[in-house]
PDB file of all heavy atoms in Angstrom:
ATOM      1  N   TYR A  27       0.877   6.558 -14.844  1.00 90.00           N
ATOM      2  CA  TYR A  27       0.724   7.938 -15.278  1.00 90.00           C
ATOM      3  C   TYR A  27      -0.490   8.181 -16.097  1.00 90.00           C
ATOM      4  O   TYR A  27      -1.327   9.017 -15.894  1.00 90.00           O
ATOM      5  CB  TYR A  27       1.956   8.474 -16.040  1.00 90.00           C
ATOM      6  CG  TYR A  27       1.897   9.991 -16.252  1.00 90.00           C
ATOM      7  CD1 TYR A  27       2.232  10.908 -15.348  1.00 90.00           C
ATOM      8  CD2 TYR A  27       1.557  10.431 -17.548  1.00 90.00           C
ATOM      9  CE1 TYR A  27       2.109  12.222 -15.493  1.00 90.00           C
ATOM     10  CE2 TYR A  27       1.511  11.766 -17.876  1.00 90.00           C
ATOM     11  CZ  TYR A  27       1.802  12.690 -16.798  1.00 90.00           C
ATOM     12  OH  TYR A  27       1.840  14.091 -16.987  1.00 90.00           O
ATOM     13  N   PHE A  28      -0.612   7.442 -17.203  1.00 88.00           N
ATOM     14  CA  PHE A  28      -1.722   7.620 -18.185  1.00 88.00           C
ATOM     15  C   PHE A  28      -3.099   7.228 -17.449  1.00 88.00           C
ATOM     16  O   PHE A  28      -4.086   7.802 -17.684  1.00 88.00           O
ATOM     17  CB  PHE A  28      -1.515   6.807 -19.402  1.00 88.00           C
ATOM     18  CG  PHE A  28      -0.607   7.546 -20.498  1.00 88.00           C
ATOM     19  CD1 PHE A  28       0.558   6.761 -20.916  1.00 88.00           C
ATOM     20  CD2 PHE A  28      -0.823   8.810 -20.756  1.00 88.00           C
ATOM     21  CE1 PHE A  28       1.376   7.446 -21.834  1.00 88.00           C
ATOM     22  CE2 PHE A  28       0.112   9.475 -21.611  1.00 88.00           C
ATOM     23  CZ  PHE A  28       1.136   8.742 -22.136  1.00 88.00           C
ATOM     24  N   GLY A  29      -2.991   6.192 -16.550  1.00 86.00           N
ATOM     25  CA  GLY A  29      -4.200   5.760 -15.845  1.00 86.00           C
ATOM     26  C   GLY A  29      -4.706   6.989 -15.013  1.00 86.00           C
ATOM     27  O   GLY A  29      -5.987   7.273 -15.036  1.00 86.00           O
ATOM     28  N   THR A  30      -3.795   7.617 -14.273  1.00 85.00           N
ATOM     29  CA  THR A  30      -4.180   8.684 -13.429  1.00 85.00           C
ATOM     30  C   THR A  30      -4.707   9.868 -14.231  1.00 85.00           C
ATOM     31  O   THR A  30      -5.699  10.629 -13.803  1.00 85.00           O
ATOM     32  CB  THR A  30      -2.953   9.045 -12.418  1.00 85.00           C
ATOM     33  OG1 THR A  30      -2.562   7.930 -11.810  1.00 85.00           O
ATOM     34  CG2 THR A  30      -3.492   9.998 -11.423  1.00 85.00           C
ATOM     35  N   VAL A  31      -3.866  10.303 -15.248  1.00 84.00           N
ATOM     36  CA  VAL A  31      -4.263  11.374 -16.096  1.00 84.00           C
ATOM     37  C   VAL A  31      -5.612  11.292 -16.642  1.00 84.00           C
ATOM     38  O   VAL A  31      -6.446  12.208 -16.650  1.00 84.00           O
ATOM     39  CB  VAL A  31      -3.176  11.576 -17.173  1.00 84.00           C
ATOM     40  CG1 VAL A  31      -3.699  12.583 -18.281  1.00 84.00           C
ATOM     41  CG2 VAL A  31      -1.897  12.136 -16.652  1.00 84.00           C
ATOM     42  N   THR A  32      -6.062   9.986 -17.191  1.00 81.00           N
ATOM     43  CA  THR A  32      -7.212   9.702 -17.762  1.00 81.00           C
ATOM     44  C   THR A  32      -8.318   9.937 -16.614  1.00 81.00           C
ATOM     45  O   THR A  32      -9.434  10.476 -16.981  1.00 81.00           O
ATOM     46  CB  THR A  32      -7.296   8.265 -18.240  1.00 81.00           C
ATOM     47  OG1 THR A  32      -6.286   8.089 -19.273  1.00 81.00           O
ATOM     48  CG2 THR A  32      -8.632   8.016 -18.897  1.00 81.00           C
ATOM     49  N   PHE A  33      -8.072   9.414 -15.383  1.00 78.00           N
ATOM     50  CA  PHE A  33      -8.987   9.536 -14.373  1.00 78.00           C
ATOM     51  C   PHE A  33      -9.282  11.085 -14.069  1.00 78.00           C
ATOM     52  O   PHE A  33     -10.422  11.392 -13.855  1.00 78.00           O
ATOM     53  CB  PHE A  33      -8.455   8.859 -13.135  1.00 78.00           C
ATOM     54  CG  PHE A  33      -9.374   8.917 -11.932  1.00 78.00           C
ATOM     55  CD1 PHE A  33     -10.360   7.877 -11.732  1.00 78.00           C
ATOM     56  CD2 PHE A  33      -9.388   9.900 -11.006  1.00 78.00           C
ATOM     57  CE1 PHE A  33     -11.159   7.860 -10.632  1.00 78.00           C
ATOM     58  CE2 PHE A  33     -10.236   9.914  -9.887  1.00 78.00           C
ATOM     59  CZ  PHE A  33     -11.037   8.886  -9.765  1.00 78.00           C
ATOM     60  N   VAL A  34      -8.219  11.847 -14.019  1.00 75.00           N
ATOM     61  CA  VAL A  34      -8.373  13.292 -13.537  1.00 75.00           C
ATOM     62  C   VAL A  34      -8.932  14.127 -14.704  1.00 75.00           C
ATOM     63  O   VAL A  34      -9.900  14.987 -14.473  1.00 75.00           O
ATOM     64  CB  VAL A  34      -7.009  13.719 -13.092  1.00 75.00           C
ATOM     65  CG1 VAL A  34      -7.120  15.372 -12.809  1.00 75.00           C
ATOM     66  CG2 VAL A  34      -6.516  13.059 -11.825  1.00 75.00           C
ATOM     67  N   TYR A  35      -8.463  13.974 -15.880  1.00 74.00           N
ATOM     68  CA  TYR A  35      -8.766  14.867 -16.948  1.00 74.00           C
ATOM     69  C   TYR A  35      -9.758  14.420 -18.117  1.00 74.00           C
ATOM     70  O   TYR A  35     -10.174  15.314 -18.889  1.00 74.00           O
ATOM     71  CB  TYR A  35      -7.445  15.413 -17.553  1.00 74.00           C
ATOM     72  CG  TYR A  35      -6.632  16.171 -16.631  1.00 74.00           C
ATOM     73  CD1 TYR A  35      -5.454  15.676 -15.985  1.00 74.00           C
ATOM     74  CD2 TYR A  35      -7.023  17.469 -16.143  1.00 74.00           C
ATOM     75  CE1 TYR A  35      -4.663  16.401 -15.044  1.00 74.00           C
ATOM     76  CE2 TYR A  35      -6.296  18.175 -15.187  1.00 74.00           C
ATOM     77  CZ  TYR A  35      -5.099  17.631 -14.723  1.00 74.00           C
ATOM     78  OH  TYR A  35      -4.412  18.309 -13.828  1.00 74.00           O
ATOM     79  N   VAL A  36      -9.860  13.106 -18.228  1.00 71.00           N
ATOM     80  CA  VAL A  36     -10.641  12.694 -19.413  1.00 71.00           C
ATOM     81  C   VAL A  36     -12.029  12.195 -19.010  1.00 71.00           C
ATOM     82  O   VAL A  36     -12.966  12.425 -19.662  1.00 71.00           O
ATOM     83  CB  VAL A  36      -9.837  11.462 -20.152  1.00 71.00           C
ATOM     84  CG1 VAL A  36     -10.578  10.876 -21.293  1.00 71.00           C
ATOM     85  CG2 VAL A  36      -8.486  11.953 -20.547  1.00 71.00           C
ATOM     86  N   LEU A  37     -12.107  11.438 -17.948  1.00 68.00           N
ATOM     87  CA  LEU A  37     -13.477  10.895 -17.496  1.00 68.00           C
ATOM     88  C   LEU A  37     -14.436  12.030 -17.167  1.00 68.00           C
ATOM     89  O   LEU A  37     -13.999  13.104 -16.657  1.00 68.00           O
ATOM     90  CB  LEU A  37     -13.273  10.008 -16.284  1.00 68.00           C
ATOM     91  CG  LEU A  37     -12.501   8.699 -16.544  1.00 68.00           C
ATOM     92  CD1 LEU A  37     -12.380   7.753 -15.352  1.00 68.00           C
ATOM     93  CD2 LEU A  37     -13.081   7.868 -17.749  1.00 68.00           C
ATOM     94  N   PRO A  38     -15.740  11.810 -17.400  1.00 67.00           N
ATOM     95  CA  PRO A  38     -16.708  12.900 -17.093  1.00 67.00           C
ATOM     96  C   PRO A  38     -16.689  13.279 -15.593  1.00 67.00           C
ATOM     97  O   PRO A  38     -16.421  12.402 -14.727  1.00 67.00           O
ATOM     98  CB  PRO A  38     -17.994  12.229 -17.492  1.00 67.00           C
ATOM     99  CG  PRO A  38     -17.673  11.160 -18.492  1.00 67.00           C
ATOM    100  CD  PRO A  38     -16.252  10.675 -18.027  1.00 67.00           C
ATOM    101  N   LYS A  39     -16.899  14.577 -15.402  1.00 66.00           N
ATOM    102  CA  LYS A  39     -16.883  15.071 -14.006  1.00 66.00           C
ATOM    103  C   LYS A  39     -17.946  14.446 -13.150  1.00 66.00           C
ATOM    104  O   LYS A  39     -17.689  14.260 -11.933  1.00 66.00           O
ATOM    105  CB  LYS A  39     -17.175  16.634 -13.991  1.00 66.00           C
ATOM    106  CG  LYS A  39     -16.055  17.457 -14.711  1.00 66.00           C
ATOM    107  CD  LYS A  39     -16.433  18.863 -14.752  1.00 66.00           C
ATOM    108  CE  LYS A  39     -15.560  19.751 -15.406  1.00 66.00           C
ATOM    109  NZ  LYS A  39     -15.700  21.172 -15.559  1.00 66.00           N
ATOM    110  N   SER A  40     -18.992  13.965 -13.631  1.00 63.00           N
ATOM    111  CA  SER A  40     -20.104  13.392 -12.869  1.00 63.00           C
ATOM    112  C   SER A  40     -19.778  12.099 -12.415  1.00 63.00           C
ATOM    113  O   SER A  40     -20.527  11.471 -11.551  1.00 63.00           O
ATOM    114  CB  SER A  40     -21.413  13.460 -13.699  1.00 63.00           C
ATOM    115  OG  SER A  40     -21.230  12.789 -14.909  1.00 63.00           O
ATOM    116  N   THR A  41     -18.766  11.439 -12.994  1.00 65.00           N
ATOM    117  CA  THR A  41     -18.351  10.015 -12.624  1.00 65.00           C
ATOM    118  C   THR A  41     -17.885   9.878 -11.221  1.00 65.00           C
ATOM    119  O   THR A  41     -18.189   8.986 -10.575  1.00 65.00           O
ATOM    120  CB  THR A  41     -17.434   9.458 -13.689  1.00 65.00           C
ATOM    121  OG1 THR A  41     -17.898   9.744 -14.954  1.00 65.00           O
ATOM    122  CG2 THR A  41     -17.177   8.015 -13.416  1.00 65.00           C
ATOM    123  N   PHE A  42     -17.082  10.933 -10.850  1.00 69.00           N
ATOM    124  CA  PHE A  42     -16.536  10.823  -9.498  1.00 69.00           C
ATOM    125  C   PHE A  42     -16.580  12.119  -8.806  1.00 69.00           C
ATOM    126  O   PHE A  42     -16.800  13.233  -9.422  1.00 69.00           O
ATOM    127  CB  PHE A  42     -14.969  10.564  -9.645  1.00 69.00           C
ATOM    128  CG  PHE A  42     -14.689   9.209 -10.418  1.00 69.00           C
ATOM    129  CD1 PHE A  42     -14.390   9.198 -11.750  1.00 69.00           C
ATOM    130  CD2 PHE A  42     -14.788   7.981  -9.723  1.00 69.00           C
ATOM    131  CE1 PHE A  42     -14.226   7.967 -12.395  1.00 69.00           C
ATOM    132  CE2 PHE A  42     -14.576   6.827 -10.423  1.00 69.00           C
ATOM    133  CZ  PHE A  42     -14.167   6.881 -11.712  1.00 69.00           C
ATOM    134  N   SER A  43     -16.578  12.104  -7.452  1.00 73.00           N
ATOM    135  CA  SER A  43     -16.618  13.346  -6.660  1.00 73.00           C
ATOM    136  C   SER A  43     -15.455  14.144  -6.704  1.00 73.00           C
ATOM    137  O   SER A  43     -14.407  13.563  -7.035  1.00 73.00           O
ATOM    138  CB  SER A  43     -16.895  12.791  -5.240  1.00 73.00           C
ATOM    139  OG  SER A  43     -15.827  12.192  -4.677  1.00 73.00           O
ATOM    140  N   SER A  44     -15.485  15.362  -6.245  1.00 74.00           N
ATOM    141  CA  SER A  44     -14.227  16.285  -6.273  1.00 74.00           C
ATOM    142  C   SER A  44     -13.206  15.785  -5.383  1.00 74.00           C
ATOM    143  O   SER A  44     -12.064  15.920  -5.678  1.00 74.00           O
ATOM    144  CB  SER A  44     -14.746  17.715  -5.825  1.00 74.00           C
ATOM    145  OG  SER A  44     -15.369  17.755  -4.545  1.00 74.00           O
ATOM    146  N   ASP A  45     -13.626  15.083  -4.179  1.00 76.00           N
ATOM    147  CA  ASP A  45     -12.611  14.552  -3.297  1.00 76.00           C
ATOM    148  C   ASP A  45     -11.810  13.443  -3.845  1.00 76.00           C
ATOM    149  O   ASP A  45     -10.635  13.286  -3.732  1.00 76.00           O
ATOM    150  CB  ASP A  45     -13.286  14.063  -1.934  1.00 76.00           C
ATOM    151  CG  ASP A  45     -13.865  15.262  -1.079  1.00 76.00           C
ATOM    152  OD1 ASP A  45     -13.333  16.328  -1.244  1.00 76.00           O
ATOM    153  OD2 ASP A  45     -14.727  14.936  -0.281  1.00 76.00           O
ATOM    154  N   GLN A  46     -12.504  12.632  -4.583  1.00 79.00           N
ATOM    155  CA  GLN A  46     -11.853  11.488  -5.389  1.00 79.00           C
ATOM    156  C   GLN A  46     -10.879  12.131  -6.381  1.00 79.00           C
ATOM    157  O   GLN A  46      -9.806  11.564  -6.602  1.00 79.00           O
ATOM    158  CB  GLN A  46     -12.809  10.636  -6.049  1.00 79.00           C
ATOM    159  CG  GLN A  46     -13.666   9.729  -5.076  1.00 79.00           C
ATOM    160  CD  GLN A  46     -14.750   8.901  -5.734  1.00 79.00           C
ATOM    161  OE1 GLN A  46     -15.497   9.403  -6.588  1.00 79.00           O
ATOM    162  NE2 GLN A  46     -14.853   7.662  -5.356  1.00 79.00           N
ATOM    163  N   LYS A  47     -11.349  13.098  -7.057  1.00 80.00           N
ATOM    164  CA  LYS A  47     -10.384  13.767  -8.087  1.00 80.00           C
ATOM    165  C   LYS A  47      -9.145  14.422  -7.369  1.00 80.00           C
ATOM    166  O   LYS A  47      -8.120  14.278  -7.952  1.00 80.00           O
ATOM    167  CB  LYS A  47     -11.208  14.912  -8.757  1.00 80.00           C
ATOM    168  CG  LYS A  47     -12.304  14.406  -9.682  1.00 80.00           C
ATOM    169  CD  LYS A  47     -11.703  14.083 -11.084  1.00 80.00           C
ATOM    170  CE  LYS A  47     -12.777  13.710 -12.054  1.00 80.00           C
ATOM    171  NZ  LYS A  47     -12.425  13.425 -13.448  1.00 80.00           N
ATOM    172  N   LYS A  48      -9.346  14.896  -6.235  1.00 85.00           N
ATOM    173  CA  LYS A  48      -8.239  15.547  -5.475  1.00 85.00           C
ATOM    174  C   LYS A  48      -7.268  14.375  -5.128  1.00 85.00           C
ATOM    175  O   LYS A  48      -5.968  14.591  -5.104  1.00 85.00           O
ATOM    176  CB  LYS A  48      -8.687  16.212  -4.258  1.00 85.00           C
ATOM    177  CG  LYS A  48      -9.280  17.577  -4.530  1.00 85.00           C
ATOM    178  CD  LYS A  48      -9.436  18.445  -3.279  1.00 85.00           C
ATOM    179  CE  LYS A  48     -10.645  18.145  -2.485  1.00 85.00           C
ATOM    180  NZ  LYS A  48     -10.894  19.004  -1.308  1.00 85.00           N
ATOM    181  N   VAL A  49      -7.721  13.289  -4.676  1.00 83.00           N
ATOM    182  CA  VAL A  49      -6.863  12.199  -4.326  1.00 83.00           C
ATOM    183  C   VAL A  49      -6.076  11.761  -5.446  1.00 83.00           C
ATOM    184  O   VAL A  49      -4.888  11.403  -5.428  1.00 83.00           O
ATOM    185  CB  VAL A  49      -7.794  10.978  -3.676  1.00 83.00           C
ATOM    186  CG1 VAL A  49      -6.814   9.802  -3.502  1.00 83.00           C
ATOM    187  CG2 VAL A  49      -8.407  11.341  -2.316  1.00 83.00           C
ATOM    188  N   ALA A  50      -6.732  11.616  -6.680  1.00 84.00           N
ATOM    189  CA  ALA A  50      -6.106  11.152  -7.884  1.00 84.00           C
ATOM    190  C   ALA A  50      -5.085  12.217  -8.298  1.00 84.00           C
ATOM    191  O   ALA A  50      -3.982  11.843  -8.871  1.00 84.00           O
ATOM    192  CB  ALA A  50      -7.147  11.040  -9.020  1.00 84.00           C
ATOM    193  N   SER A  51      -5.315  13.516  -8.059  1.00 87.00           N
ATOM    194  CA  SER A  51      -4.322  14.565  -8.380  1.00 87.00           C
ATOM    195  C   SER A  51      -3.109  14.487  -7.486  1.00 87.00           C
ATOM    196  O   SER A  51      -1.973  14.782  -7.931  1.00 87.00           O
ATOM    197  CB  SER A  51      -5.080  15.986  -8.141  1.00 87.00           C
ATOM    198  OG  SER A  51      -6.033  16.129  -9.141  1.00 87.00           O
ATOM    199  N   VAL A  52      -3.374  14.022  -6.158  1.00 89.00           N
ATOM    200  CA  VAL A  52      -2.120  13.792  -5.324  1.00 89.00           C
ATOM    201  C   VAL A  52      -1.252  12.804  -5.933  1.00 89.00           C
ATOM    202  O   VAL A  52      -0.027  12.845  -5.982  1.00 89.00           O
ATOM    203  CB  VAL A  52      -2.615  13.409  -3.992  1.00 89.00           C
ATOM    204  CG1 VAL A  52      -1.382  12.893  -2.988  1.00 89.00           C
ATOM    205  CG2 VAL A  52      -3.311  14.516  -3.168  1.00 89.00           C
ATOM    206  N   PHE A  53      -1.818  11.710  -6.351  1.00 88.00           N
ATOM    207  CA  PHE A  53      -1.139  10.579  -7.034  1.00 88.00           C
ATOM    208  C   PHE A  53      -0.407  11.092  -8.257  1.00 88.00           C
ATOM    209  O   PHE A  53       0.758  10.812  -8.371  1.00 88.00           O
ATOM    210  CB  PHE A  53      -2.052   9.440  -7.390  1.00 88.00           C
ATOM    211  CG  PHE A  53      -1.453   8.038  -7.521  1.00 88.00           C
ATOM    212  CD1 PHE A  53      -1.153   7.423  -6.390  1.00 88.00           C
ATOM    213  CD2 PHE A  53      -1.053   7.573  -8.767  1.00 88.00           C
ATOM    214  CE1 PHE A  53      -0.460   6.228  -6.481  1.00 88.00           C
ATOM    215  CE2 PHE A  53      -0.435   6.335  -8.844  1.00 88.00           C
ATOM    216  CZ  PHE A  53      -0.147   5.675  -7.762  1.00 88.00           C
ATOM    217  N   TYR A  54      -1.062  11.855  -9.156  1.00 86.00           N
ATOM    218  CA  TYR A  54      -0.468  12.458 -10.347  1.00 86.00           C
ATOM    219  C   TYR A  54       0.614  13.444 -10.167  1.00 86.00           C
ATOM    220  O   TYR A  54       1.604  13.402 -10.844  1.00 86.00           O
ATOM    221  CB  TYR A  54      -1.645  13.013 -11.131  1.00 86.00           C
ATOM    222  CG  TYR A  54      -1.373  13.947 -12.215  1.00 86.00           C
ATOM    223  CD1 TYR A  54      -0.775  13.494 -13.342  1.00 86.00           C
ATOM    224  CD2 TYR A  54      -1.601  15.275 -12.097  1.00 86.00           C
ATOM    225  CE1 TYR A  54      -0.425  14.398 -14.492  1.00 86.00           C
ATOM    226  CE2 TYR A  54      -1.349  16.125 -13.212  1.00 86.00           C
ATOM    227  CZ  TYR A  54      -0.782  15.693 -14.372  1.00 86.00           C
ATOM    228  OH  TYR A  54      -0.459  16.574 -15.357  1.00 86.00           O
ATOM    229  N   ASN A  55       0.345  14.405  -9.201  1.00 90.00           N
ATOM    230  CA  ASN A  55       1.274  15.509  -8.918  1.00 90.00           C
ATOM    231  C   ASN A  55       2.369  15.250  -7.950  1.00 90.00           C
ATOM    232  O   ASN A  55       3.518  15.829  -7.966  1.00 90.00           O
ATOM    233  CB  ASN A  55       0.563  16.702  -8.624  1.00 90.00           C
ATOM    234  CG  ASN A  55      -0.138  17.370  -9.744  1.00 90.00           C
ATOM    235  OD1 ASN A  55      -1.307  17.310  -9.925  1.00 90.00           O
ATOM    236  ND2 ASN A  55       0.583  18.080 -10.608  1.00 90.00           N
ATOM    237  N   VAL A  56       2.171  14.320  -7.051  1.00 92.00           N
ATOM    238  CA  VAL A  56       3.032  14.143  -5.812  1.00 92.00           C
ATOM    239  C   VAL A  56       3.726  12.702  -5.881  1.00 92.00           C
ATOM    240  O   VAL A  56       4.948  12.672  -5.580  1.00 92.00           O
ATOM    241  CB  VAL A  56       2.332  14.293  -4.538  1.00 92.00           C
ATOM    242  CG1 VAL A  56       3.147  14.154  -3.298  1.00 92.00           C
ATOM    243  CG2 VAL A  56       1.648  15.742  -4.515  1.00 92.00           C
ATOM    244  N   ILE A  57       2.946  11.794  -5.992  1.00 92.00           N
ATOM    245  CA  ILE A  57       3.491  10.347  -5.770  1.00 92.00           C
ATOM    246  C   ILE A  57       4.184   9.846  -7.024  1.00 92.00           C
ATOM    247  O   ILE A  57       5.267   9.260  -6.886  1.00 92.00           O
ATOM    248  CB  ILE A  57       2.279   9.383  -5.349  1.00 92.00           C
ATOM    249  CG1 ILE A  57       1.764   9.864  -3.993  1.00 92.00           C
ATOM    250  CG2 ILE A  57       2.793   7.948  -5.237  1.00 92.00           C
ATOM    251  CD1 ILE A  57       0.512   9.134  -3.541  1.00 92.00           C
ATOM    252  N   ILE A  58       3.608   9.911  -8.200  1.00 91.00           N
ATOM    253  CA  ILE A  58       4.252   9.415  -9.432  1.00 91.00           C
ATOM    254  C   ILE A  58       5.694  10.014  -9.589  1.00 91.00           C
ATOM    255  O   ILE A  58       6.468   9.232  -9.953  1.00 91.00           O
ATOM    256  CB  ILE A  58       3.314   9.545 -10.650  1.00 91.00           C
ATOM    257  CG1 ILE A  58       2.172   8.675 -10.625  1.00 91.00           C
ATOM    258  CG2 ILE A  58       4.174   9.370 -11.881  1.00 91.00           C
ATOM    259  CD1 ILE A  58       1.184   8.697 -11.678  1.00 91.00           C
ATOM    260  N   PRO A  59       5.857  11.313  -9.446  1.00 93.00           N
ATOM    261  CA  PRO A  59       7.213  11.827  -9.626  1.00 93.00           C
ATOM    262  C   PRO A  59       8.201  11.295  -8.627  1.00 93.00           C
ATOM    263  O   PRO A  59       9.386  11.174  -8.859  1.00 93.00           O
ATOM    264  CB  PRO A  59       7.085  13.292  -9.290  1.00 93.00           C
ATOM    265  CG  PRO A  59       5.614  13.637  -9.669  1.00 93.00           C
ATOM    266  CD  PRO A  59       4.858  12.453  -9.378  1.00 93.00           C
ATOM    267  N   MET A  60       7.752  10.783  -7.466  1.00 93.00           N
ATOM    268  CA  MET A  60       8.650   9.940  -6.519  1.00 93.00           C
ATOM    269  C   MET A  60       8.814   8.599  -6.943  1.00 93.00           C
ATOM    270  O   MET A  60       9.949   8.028  -6.868  1.00 93.00           O
ATOM    271  CB  MET A  60       7.997  10.050  -5.106  1.00 93.00           C
ATOM    272  CG  MET A  60       8.811   9.232  -4.161  1.00 93.00           C
ATOM    273  SD  MET A  60       7.887   8.821  -2.618  1.00 93.00           S
ATOM    274  CE  MET A  60       6.731   7.465  -3.250  1.00 93.00           C
ATOM    275  N   LEU A  61       7.838   7.935  -7.535  1.00 90.00           N
ATOM    276  CA  LEU A  61       7.902   6.500  -7.910  1.00 90.00           C
ATOM    277  C   LEU A  61       8.727   6.242  -9.078  1.00 90.00           C
ATOM    278  O   LEU A  61       9.416   5.179  -9.202  1.00 90.00           O
ATOM    279  CB  LEU A  61       6.486   5.978  -8.189  1.00 90.00           C
ATOM    280  CG  LEU A  61       5.544   5.834  -6.983  1.00 90.00           C
ATOM    281  CD1 LEU A  61       4.239   5.231  -7.353  1.00 90.00           C
ATOM    282  CD2 LEU A  61       6.244   4.953  -5.959  1.00 90.00           C
ATOM    283  N   ASN A  62       8.695   7.247 -10.034  1.00 88.00           N
ATOM    284  CA  ASN A  62       9.495   6.845 -11.337  1.00 88.00           C
ATOM    285  C   ASN A  62      10.971   6.549 -11.133  1.00 88.00           C
ATOM    286  O   ASN A  62      11.394   5.517 -11.667  1.00 88.00           O
ATOM    287  CB  ASN A  62       9.299   8.125 -12.303  1.00 88.00           C
ATOM    288  CG  ASN A  62       8.093   8.031 -13.063  1.00 88.00           C
ATOM    289  OD1 ASN A  62       7.413   7.083 -13.173  1.00 88.00           O
ATOM    290  ND2 ASN A  62       7.704   9.212 -13.621  1.00 88.00           N
ATOM    291  N   PRO A  63      11.804   7.228 -10.355  1.00 87.00           N
ATOM    292  CA  PRO A  63      13.180   6.871 -10.140  1.00 87.00           C
ATOM    293  C   PRO A  63      13.276   5.583  -9.437  1.00 87.00           C
ATOM    294  O   PRO A  63      14.201   4.811  -9.751  1.00 87.00           O
ATOM    295  CB  PRO A  63      13.781   8.047  -9.365  1.00 87.00           C
ATOM    296  CG  PRO A  63      12.619   8.747  -8.813  1.00 87.00           C
ATOM    297  CD  PRO A  63      11.477   8.642  -9.755  1.00 87.00           C
ATOM    298  N   VAL A  64      12.378   5.237  -8.497  1.00 85.00           N
ATOM    299  CA  VAL A  64      12.312   4.084  -7.832  1.00 85.00           C
ATOM    300  C   VAL A  64      12.042   2.931  -8.864  1.00 85.00           C
ATOM    301  O   VAL A  64      12.736   1.857  -8.735  1.00 85.00           O
ATOM    302  CB  VAL A  64      11.277   3.985  -6.747  1.00 85.00           C
ATOM    303  CG1 VAL A  64      11.200   2.662  -6.063  1.00 85.00           C
ATOM    304  CG2 VAL A  64      11.604   5.176  -5.677  1.00 85.00           C
ATOM    305  N   ILE A  65      11.096   3.043  -9.641  1.00 84.00           N
ATOM    306  CA  ILE A  65      10.739   2.051 -10.618  1.00 84.00           C
ATOM    307  C   ILE A  65      11.837   1.690 -11.574  1.00 84.00           C
ATOM    308  O   ILE A  65      12.268   0.564 -11.713  1.00 84.00           O
ATOM    309  CB  ILE A  65       9.455   2.547 -11.376  1.00 84.00           C
ATOM    310  CG1 ILE A  65       8.223   2.513 -10.480  1.00 84.00           C
ATOM    311  CG2 ILE A  65       9.208   1.532 -12.623  1.00 84.00           C
ATOM    312  CD1 ILE A  65       6.940   3.170 -11.143  1.00 84.00           C
ATOM    313  N   TYR A  66      12.417   2.732 -12.140  1.00 80.00           N
ATOM    314  CA  TYR A  66      13.507   2.481 -13.075  1.00 80.00           C
ATOM    315  C   TYR A  66      14.682   2.005 -12.420  1.00 80.00           C
ATOM    316  O   TYR A  66      15.568   1.336 -13.055  1.00 80.00           O
ATOM    317  CB  TYR A  66      13.762   3.683 -13.863  1.00 80.00           C
ATOM    318  CG  TYR A  66      12.814   4.014 -14.927  1.00 80.00           C
ATOM    319  CD1 TYR A  66      11.819   4.993 -14.696  1.00 80.00           C
ATOM    320  CD2 TYR A  66      12.740   3.437 -16.074  1.00 80.00           C
ATOM    321  CE1 TYR A  66      10.760   5.191 -15.735  1.00 80.00           C
ATOM    322  CE2 TYR A  66      11.926   3.680 -17.158  1.00 80.00           C
ATOM    323  CZ  TYR A  66      10.863   4.511 -16.848  1.00 80.00           C
ATOM    324  OH  TYR A  66       9.884   4.720 -17.909  1.00 80.00           O
ATOM    325  N   SER A  67      15.047   2.393 -11.150  1.00 75.00           N
ATOM    326  CA  SER A  67      16.189   1.952 -10.516  1.00 75.00           C
ATOM    327  C   SER A  67      16.210   0.466 -10.088  1.00 75.00           C
ATOM    328  O   SER A  67      17.078  -0.359 -10.325  1.00 75.00           O
ATOM    329  CB  SER A  67      16.616   2.837  -9.255  1.00 75.00           C
ATOM    330  OG  SER A  67      16.758   4.151  -9.739  1.00 75.00           O
ATOM    331  N   LEU A  68      15.044   0.030  -9.492  1.00 66.00           N
ATOM    332  CA  LEU A  68      14.886  -1.210  -8.927  1.00 66.00           C
ATOM    333  C   LEU A  68      14.720  -2.285 -10.108  1.00 66.00           C
ATOM    334  O   LEU A  68      15.214  -3.453  -9.968  1.00 66.00           O
ATOM    335  CB  LEU A  68      13.678  -1.290  -8.026  1.00 66.00           C
ATOM    336  CG  LEU A  68      13.723  -0.581  -6.762  1.00 66.00           C
ATOM    337  CD1 LEU A  68      12.443  -0.733  -5.921  1.00 66.00           C
ATOM    338  CD2 LEU A  68      14.935  -0.968  -5.858  1.00 66.00           C
TER     339      LEU A  68
END
């Protein structure tokens, strides 16, 4: 979570392209909420 949040919101905009930011946002908004119950259950 913090790794993805840092990538999306903390690192300078010029470091990565908008497409890379969008992929990171997918991970942050879509994939991590699915992974958390799996991580804690397994």
